[in-house]
Amino acid sequence: MTPRLIIAALATVSLLAGCSGNVEPQYPPKDLRDLSATAQATTLWSKRIGSGLGKGSYPMAPAQDGSRIFAADHRGLVTALDANTGNPLWETTLDSGASSALSAVDGQLYLGTRNGEVVAMDQSTGKVKWKTTTSSEVLAAPQANSELLIIQSVDGHITALNRNDGTEFWNYSASQPALSLRTSATPRVIDAVTIAGLANGRLVTLDNRTGQPLWERRISNPTGNSEIERLSDLSGQPLLTPDGRLYATSYNGRVVALEATSGQIAWSRPLSSYRSPLMVGDTLYVVDEASHVVALNAMTGDEMWRLRDLEGRSLTDPEFAGGQIVLGDYDGYVHLINANSGKLTGRSRVNSSGISVTPQTDGRRVYMLTNNGTLQALDIR
């Protein structure tokens, strides 16, 4: 790990979770209150996936494609399971430990490793089809369109690979600040363009034919006297709607709605977040840096409700299943929130090792991977 990333990792721990010793976290976790549950997360099955996320807490969120779900551990074990029963289908151990969230599409499985490789595997057999070395460590899930696999690595490079053999098609390099969160935004990819949030606080749209920028906008303006105060990463995945609206979050910055083809800003709202936004209907849900869950009118940016009961609990990205907003927390709890009212409706503890990666859902069932590698399927009702 480079010195810049070591510093970034320490800064992240200090800012988001508190350092060891006498340093208090910026947002101490609130105790959970009793609630009258109106929704339930029922465990369907639970399996242990190797050694979990490791001391680096790599963001290795699982991926689902059809009736299979795929998960990995920090030592390089990759596992395919039957999504309905949890029964293992195959296991493969890679030469290097996994580091990124997984991506499963069109019969292939993609992931990044700690030595900067991108690996493509056959979903049916677990056989490695190709490997390609990128410029640095990959934490973001590789993103595919019909021809390309887009990789965003921690050094600011965005690389387009041929999905069939892993050969490089183009490479875009963004300027990097002296200090950044030890994370990497996941790009949003469609056939024509790649939309990527950068550690320098900018959002860029790249032409997938050439890798050249079509437009670029500053979303977060660094402020403050110290490098930590000036952190301005766009760490969440941009959200793109079918009618061409684009939403992005930023750390120490704002939530922004843009017109996707031009980058023209429709509205913005001060709100610091390093999580990906979620949209259900015309409501945008954002988890801010304090782990407040905020619902915004997607058309205007007006705040509809804000849930503060989970402050400081290091919530995951939000997902939607069974009519509920679903999130995990640092203590291994799954929280259910009514999407309309913002009220807590249910809670279930999966594992005391904690949940730090984004839940995987098909809209009805949720798959939670805990820090120690417990993968649990939950039915949300």
Side-chain angles (χ1 to χ4, degrees):
M1 186 184 295
T2 66
R4 183 187 69 81
L5 290 178
I6 292 174
I7 294 171
L10 293 175
T12 303
V13 170
S14 175
L15 283 167
L16 306 179
C19 296
S20 60
N22 297 321
V23 178
E24 291 292 329
Q26 185 176 5
Y27 301 104
K30 283 189 174 182
D31 293 333
L32 298 177
R33 300 177 180 178
D34 292 338
L35 58 85
S36 298
T38 57
Q40 288 185 326
T42 304
T43 300
L44 300 177
W45 54 260
S46 181
K47 295 291 182 181
R48 185 67 178 266
I49 308 297
S51 301
L53 308 187
K55 293 182 179 179
S57 294
Y58 288 95
M60 296 179 294
Q64 184 182 6
D65 192 10
S67 61
R68 301 187 186 102
I69 187 162
F70 307 90
D73 81 347
H74 73 105
R75 293 181 177 174
L77 175 70
V78 184
T79 304
L81 304 167
D82 184 295
N84 295 311
T85 65
N87 293 332
L89 302 174
W90 53 256
E91 289 186 349
T92 298
T93 300
L94 303 176
D95 296 334
S96 180
S99 59
S100 80
L102 281 60
S103 180
V105 59
D106 293 340
Q108 296 212 93
L109 178 68
Y110 305 102
L111 71 155
T113 69
R114 297 208 306 271
N115 65 356
E117 283 185 331
V118 176
V119 181
M121 306 174 70
D122 186 286
Q123 284 190 19
S124 299
T125 64
K127 180 180 179 181
V128 174
K129 301 187 71 172
W130 54 258
K131 296 180 182 180
T132 294
T133 300
T134 60
S135 57
S136 66
E137 188 178 43
V138 177
L139 299 179
Q143 299 294 300
N145 64 14
S146 59
E147 296 181 354
L148 302 176
L149 189 70
I150 307 297
I151 309 300
Q152 187 163 353
S153 49
V154 298
D155 62 356
H157 284 261
I158 300 171
T159 306
L161 305 176
N162 185 307
R163 278 184 55 186
N164 294 322
D165 57 17
T167 56
E168 184 174 312
F169 194 57
W170 51 256
N171 184 284
Y172 170 85
S173 179
S175 63
Q176 289 288 92
L179 190 66
S180 69
L181 300 177
R182 191 182 180 277
T183 183
S184 184
T186 302
R188 177 69 61 183
V189 179
I190 58 176
D191 276 349
V193 299
T194 290
I195 304 165
L198 307 173
N200 60 16
R202 303 185 76 87
L203 186 71
V204 64
T205 292
L206 306 174
D207 187 331
N208 279 340
R209 296 170 298 182
T210 63
Q212 294 300 307
L214 297 174
W215 58 258
E216 187 173 337
R217 294 287 181 273
R218 176 166 291 283
I219 303 301
S220 179
N221 290 299
T223 59
N225 297 321
S226 70
E227 292 294 343
I228 290 179
E229 291 174 331
R230 292 172 62 82
L231 286 168
S232 59
D233 299 53
L234 273 65
S235 296
Q237 185 179 32
L239 190 156
L240 180 64
T241 67
D243 60 356
R245 289 176 287 157
L246 180 64
Y247 299 88
T249 58
S250 58
Y251 187 71
N252 279 338
R254 53 184 178 160
V255 178
V256 176
L258 310 98
E259 203 282 321
T261 56
S262 66
Q264 181 178 353
I265 294 177
W267 58 258
S268 69
R269 183 178 186 87
L271 195 156
S272 175
S273 174
Y274 55 94
R275 295 299 188 186
S276 301
L278 167 72
M279 183 174 288
V280 180
D282 282 325
T283 304
L284 190 72
Y285 300 92
V286 179
V287 175
D288 74 6
E289 63 169 318
S291 283
H292 296 168
V293 184
V294 184
L296 304 173
N297 183 307
M299 304 305 295
T300 65
D302 293 335
E303 185 170 314
M304 301 170 66
W305 53 256
R306 178 184 294 253
L307 177 69
R308 295 180 171 87
D309 293 4
L310 304 177
E311 181 175 293
R313 299 191 66 86
S314 299
L315 298 178
T316 65
D317 290 2
E319 281 293 349
F320 184 71
Q324 308 293 315
I325 305 299
V326 183
L327 312 100
D329 78 7
Y330 81 101
D331 206 21
Y333 284 94
V334 175
H335 302 280
L336 307 179
I337 301 170
N338 183 286
N340 295 319
S341 68
K343 303 296 184 182
L344 283 166
T345 57
R347 176 191 308 141
S348 177
R349 198 176 198 187
V350 174
N351 186 279
S352 61
S353 67
I355 303 168
S356 58
V357 301
T358 304
Q360 174 66 44
T361 180
D362 58 11
R364 176 180 57 88
R365 188 176 297 166
V366 172
Y367 302 92
M368 288 283 189
L369 180 66
T370 66
N371 294 343
N372 75 346
T374 300
L375 179 62
Q376 195 163 117
L378 304 169
D379 188 40
I380 308 299
R381 295 184 183 274

